[in-house]
């Protein structure tokens, strides 16, 4: 496998059912501007492909973005699988976007955090600022 | 399929469903632009209520059954899990529900006076087409390119094969039943920042693909873009190219209200919708797909959909009355047939692709491999991704880099610069900014259309007149 193992690499993906792409392109540019190389897996990535990519790249962070309204269900299924994978139990993983079909919903965020996400960013004016702060805090933490 | 729900002993009699293409053309001739929602709910009873409300709306309407994202990617297990857990889906899971259930949803809905179309977004639509035919439906949309590149990672060649089989299945159904109808989604692609000529070319190429596989009733789509001038050129080009390349097909044009980042305010949302409605009326566009005040944030309610349909119809109605008051001939505002930039680029792209192979599917696959077709910003592995586009000061979408597109001599590529996150978001949100009212002075895009002064009153919703969450929540 020839994946470049830069310890700062951030992996970006849209979950299996979500085809939206502009969000992923935007997040890629944003994360790169914050000083991290990225691997953008694109939209509609099946769960197993995300897990495999995490094992291959050993990223500093996995960023999931979903806006089609299924992010809540897709996110819980995916994080359960990631946390059950021995090598990925402690991988920082965040999710953001429009996570349900009825507008901003704090319940979804709580469920997702309980299921194992390190941070959840439902659509809000502060989401991106909060996320940038999270990224900055990553570099301060010791790289494991 | 669930298989668990018993079929009703006596299937309810269904009225003879109409032929979608003829229905739209007839309605357009007698009443004007037909308006249609993008509506889909997971619960059959809600779906039925939505269709009935669309039918009863004070407008010439067609109904929509929009399919959810799990069904689009073929994950019927996730559909079942969501329904068991009581989680709402973003559309109607047509391949999950028994055909009998969908027929019940449609009983008394689909009739001589009301046609229904299935909207999906799948690169593997065979099961969806099978399900819609089993439920007595005959109209849908998509295409081998437009439902592949923007919708995931299915290889283009596989999507082409899937669409060939699905087209044949649909075309075959016409031998015994109602004449089937298929609409291209090529006029939308990723919704924004795609130069209109490429949208027009893909739409026409997909229509040619449909015809090759036996369809004779087709609609060609185009999605409203920020520039009024480009919009008018694109619709005129679409008509001229269809007239030339589809002589033996009954076709009509369908306009999609803006498919990119939508205004968050009710005023902005309705102004943008009104702009689309005026564009449709003034270009004799047969059908218009509307967007609602909830577009920027969540799945709209039935009431929000009805409000959008009725408002769009009020705008097109007002436009037609104003025209007769001005005593203008019917086609006075219709765009001319000159060789616009959009037309010339689209024609060159279509001809270059057709020269690659007599078989449209092979030609399309090769076109993307060679970069003769290349969609800006599309991450799909079969898209070269060498083209770049940008919004100029007037809101027109221009080529920054034409990559390997065969447009040499007609397009001047400007210097392609690397775009940052803020700049990308700025371009994507241009229309939102303009219509939400805080645009930079002088950069009003097509919002400066003089017809805006004569718009009918907007539905009351910002003040809580409509149910649902606050807009932009
Ligand atoms: C463009 C668009 C499309 C294009 C997408 C093209 C493509 N491949 O990218 C097309 C037309 C193909 C499309 C299809 C569909 N779409 Co769409 N689409 C949009 C639209 C108009 C704009 C989205 C966009 O490009 N935004 C620009 C990007 C840069 O911003 P963003 O995605 O909004 O993300 C921002 C924040 O959410 C945040 N963010 C997002 N993710 C993350 C992650 C993290 C970690 C952080 C910190 C922040 C963050 O950052 C971004 C910048 O502020 C929105 C409505 C709108 N917003 O106006 C609907 C919308 C997202 N679509 C929607 C739906 C439902 C669909 C469909 C299922 C069809 C349908 N039933 O209507 C299909 C999807 C099929 C599938 N398999 O997923 C719904 C989702 C509803 C919901 N969540 O409740 C929306 C809201 C429209 C609506 N009101 O119905 N769509």
């Amino acid at each position: 496998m020839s994946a470049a193992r830069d310890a700062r690499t951030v992996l970006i993906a849209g979950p299996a059912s979500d085809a939206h792409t502009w969000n992923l392109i935007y997040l890629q540019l944003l994360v790169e501007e914050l000083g991290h190389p990225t691997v953008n897996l694109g939209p509609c990535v099946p769960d197993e492909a995300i897990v495999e990519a995490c094992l291959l790249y050993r990223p500093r962070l996995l960023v999931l973005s979903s806006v089609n309204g299924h992010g809540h269900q897709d996110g819980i299924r995916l994080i359960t699988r990631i946390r059950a994978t021995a090598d990925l139990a402690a991988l920082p993983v965040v999710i953001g976007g429009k996570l349900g079909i009825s507008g901003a919903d704090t319940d979804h965020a709580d469920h997702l955090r309980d299921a194992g996400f390190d941070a959840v960013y439902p659509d809000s004016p502060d989401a991106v600022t909060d996320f940038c702060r999270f990224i900055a805090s990553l570099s301060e933490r010791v790289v494991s | 399929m669930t298989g668990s729900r018993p079929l009703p002993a006596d299937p309810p009699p269904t009225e003879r469903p109409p032929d979608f293409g003829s229905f739209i053309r007839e309605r357009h001739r007698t009443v004007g632009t037909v308006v249609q929602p993008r509506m889909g709910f997971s619960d059959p009873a809600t779906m039925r209520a939505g269709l009935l409300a669309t039918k009863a709306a004070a407008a010439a309407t067609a109904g929509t059954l929009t399919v959810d994202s799990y069904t689009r990617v073929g994950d019927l297990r996730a559909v079942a899990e969501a329904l068991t857990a009581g989680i709402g889906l973003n559309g109607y899971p047509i391949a999950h529900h028994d055909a009998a259930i969908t027929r019940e949803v449609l009983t008394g809905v689909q009739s001589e006076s009301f046609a229904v179309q299935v909207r999906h977004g799948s690169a593997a639509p065979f099961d969806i087409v099978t399900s819609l035919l089993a439920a007595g439906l005959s109209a849908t949309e998509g295409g081998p390119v437009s439902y592949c590149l923007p919708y995931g990672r299915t290889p283009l060649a596989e999507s082409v094969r899937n669409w060939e089989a699905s087209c044949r299945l649909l075309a075959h159904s016409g031998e015994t039943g109602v004449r089937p109808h298929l609409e291209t989604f090529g006029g939308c692609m990723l919704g924004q920042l795609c130069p209109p000529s490429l949208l027009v070319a893909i739409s026409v190429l997909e229509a040619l693909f449909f015809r090759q596989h036996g369809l004779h009733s087709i609609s060609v789509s185009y999605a409203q873009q920020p520039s009024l001038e480009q919009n008018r050129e694109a619709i005129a080009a679409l008509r001229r190219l269809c007239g030339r390349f589809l002589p033996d097909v009954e076709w009509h044009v369908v306009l999609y209200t803006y498919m990119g980042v939508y205004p968050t305010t009710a005023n902005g949302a309705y102004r943008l919708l009104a702009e689309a409605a005026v564009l449709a009326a003034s270009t004799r566009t047969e059908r218009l797909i509307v967007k609602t005040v909830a577009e920027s944030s969540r799945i709209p309610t039935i009431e929000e959909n009805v409000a959008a349909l009725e408002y769009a119809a009020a705008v097109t109605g007002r436009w037609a009355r104003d025209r007769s008051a001005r005593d203008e001939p019917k086609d006075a505002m219709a765009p001319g047939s000159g060789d616009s930039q959009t037309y010339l680029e689209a024609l060159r792209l279509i001809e270059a692709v057709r020269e690659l192979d007599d078989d449209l599917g092979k030609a399309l696959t090769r076109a993307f491999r060679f970069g003769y077709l290349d969609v800006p910003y599309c991450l799909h592995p079969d898209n070269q991704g060498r083209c770049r586009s940008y919004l100029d000061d007037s809101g027109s979408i221009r080529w920054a880099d034409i990559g390997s597109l065969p447009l040499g001599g007609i397009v001047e590529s400007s210097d392609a610069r690397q775009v940052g996150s803020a700049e990308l978001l700025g371009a994507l949100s241009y229309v939102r900014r303009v219509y939400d009212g805080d645009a930079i002075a002088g950069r009003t895009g097509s919002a400066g259309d003089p017809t805006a002064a004569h718009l009918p009153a907007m539905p009351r919703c910002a003040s809580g007149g409509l149910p649902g969450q606050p807009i932009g929540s």
Side-chain angles (χ1 to χ4, degrees), chain A residues 22 33 41 68 70 74 98, chain B residues 70 78 90 153 190 296 421:
Chain A
W22 294 107
E33 286 157 18
L41 300 176
N68 72 355
H70 292 178
D74 283 341
K98 300 180 201 297
Chain B
Y70 286 130
N90 58 15
R153 38 183 51 222
L190 270 71
S296 67
S421 65

Side-chain angles (χ1 to χ4, degrees), chain A residues 17-23 26-27 63-69 94-98 100-102 121 123 127-128 131, chain B residues 66-67 69 72 90 150-151 185 188-190 192 259-262 291 294-300 425 428 432:
Chain A
S17 85
D18 199 322
H20 291 91
T21 308
W22 294 107
N23 44 332
Y26 168 71
L27 288 167
V63 179
L64 296 169
S65 168
S66 173
V67 296
N68 72 355
V94 303
I95 188 169
K98 300 180 201 297
I101 59 164
S102 39
Y121 302 97
D123 221 8
V128 169
F131 172 66
Chain B
T66 294
V67 172
S69 303
R72 290 161 186 242
N90 58 15
Y151 280 94
F185 189 75
C188 178
M189 296 307 290
L190 270 71
Q192 29 194 354
M259 293 294 281
V261 174
Y262 216 73
K291 287 258 172 132
E295 174 61 19
S296 67
S297 59
R298 56 171 167 76
I299 299 290
L425 203 58
L428 292 173
R432 169 180 289 181

Side-chain angles (χ1 to χ4, degrees), chain A residues 82-143:
Chain A
I82 290 173
R83 294 306 179 215
T85 307
D87 282 356
L88 304 178
L91 172 75
V93 187
V94 303
I95 188 169
K98 300 180 201 297
L99 302 167
I101 59 164
S102 39
D105 187 346
T106 41
D107 288 357
H108 287 331
D110 292 343
H111 288 159
L112 287 159
R113 258 186 300 267
D114 291 348
F117 280 100
D118 294 273
V120 183
Y121 302 97
D123 221 8
S124 84
D126 302 329
V128 169
T129 325
D130 293 348
F131 172 66
C132 291
R133 224 172 278 137
F134 180 88
I135 297 253
S137 77
L138 277 181
S139 0
E140 286 155 20
R141 290 190 221 170
V142 191
V143 179

Side-chain angles (χ1 to χ4, degrees), chain B residues 201-411:
Chain B
I202 297 177
S203 210
V204 172
L205 287 163
E206 288 192 324
L208 285 165
F209 177 94
F210 295 166
R211 188 189 57 177
Q212 184 191 330
H213 296 288
L215 288 141
H216 293 280
S217 175
I218 294 173
S219 41
V220 284
S221 64
Y222 174 71
Q224 176 189 20
Q225 302 299 325
S227 153
L228 177 62
E229 194 192 339
Q230 280 193 327
N231 289 336
R232 297 175 64 80
E233 279 188 15
I235 294 172
L238 207 45
R239 286 198 182 282
R240 196 168 158 202
L241 293 163
C242 286
R244 172 163 170 183
F245 291 112
L246 299 165
D248 55 350
V249 167
E250 190 186 288
W251 55 268
H252 70 260
V253 174
V254 52
L255 174 68
Y256 303 160
T257 302
Y258 192 60
M259 293 294 281
V261 174
Y262 216 73
T264 55
T265 63
N267 273 2
Y270 279 121
R271 273 179 63 217
L272 185 51
L273 174 61
E275 180 85 19
V278 170
L279 175 66
S282 64
T283 52
R284 291 172 292 126
T285 293
E286 289 86 347
R287 183 156 57 97
L288 169 70
I289 305 217
V290 304
K291 287 258 172 132
T292 74
V293 288
E295 174 61 19
S296 67
S297 59
R298 56 171 167 76
I299 299 290
T301 61
I302 293 175
E303 292 76 7
E304 286 161 343
N305 271 297
V306 170
L309 292 167
E310 294 186 340
Y311 184 62
V315 173
T316 54
R318 170 77 65 94
W319 191 89
R321 278 195 304 280
D322 287 355
R323 182 195 53 203
S324 21
R326 290 192 302 271
D327 214 19
E328 279 172 25
K330 232 181 168 178
D331 289 350
M333 263 189 75
S337 51
D339 289 349
S340 69
Q341 183 66 19
T342 306
Y343 172 79
L344 291 174
E345 290 178 24
L347 177 64
R348 174 78 70 85
L349 292 170
I350 294 166
E351 287 182 329
V353 175
R354 273 162 58 97
E355 274 164 24
L356 291 175
D357 204 295
D358 287 341
D359 176 80
L360 250 304
K362 286 201 186 98
L364 286 167
T365 314
R366 296 180 76 186
F368 277 96
R369 197 176 322 127
F370 297 165
Y372 283 16
L373 295 174
D374 187 354
V375 181
Y377 293 103
C378 174
L379 296 181
H380 193 284
D382 290 330
N383 189 57
Q384 277 203 359
R386 289 184 50 220
C387 287
R388 278 291 174 267
S389 57
Y390 70 97
L391 267 187
D392 73 10
D393 287 348
S394 69
S396 293
I397 306 169
R398 307 278 179 211
W399 293 108
D401 188 338
I402 56 168
S404 304
L405 296 181
L407 295 179
I410 14 182
V411 172

Side-chain angles (χ1 to χ4, degrees), chain A residues 39-94:
Chain A
V39 176
N40 191 342
L41 300 176
C44 285
V45 192
D47 295 3
E48 53 276 13
I50 294 184
V51 169
E52 272 166 33
C54 288
L55 293 171
L56 176 64
Y57 291 100
R58 298 296 169 142
R60 186 72 189 91
L61 170 71
L62 168 64
V63 179
L64 296 169
S65 168
S66 173
V67 296
N68 72 355
H70 292 178
H72 168 232
Q73 191 182 341
D74 283 341
I76 288 186
R77 198 188 56 236
L78 191 54
I79 196 66
T80 308
R81 186 151 172 181
I82 290 173
R83 294 306 179 215
T85 307
D87 282 356
L88 304 178
L91 172 75
V93 187
V94 303

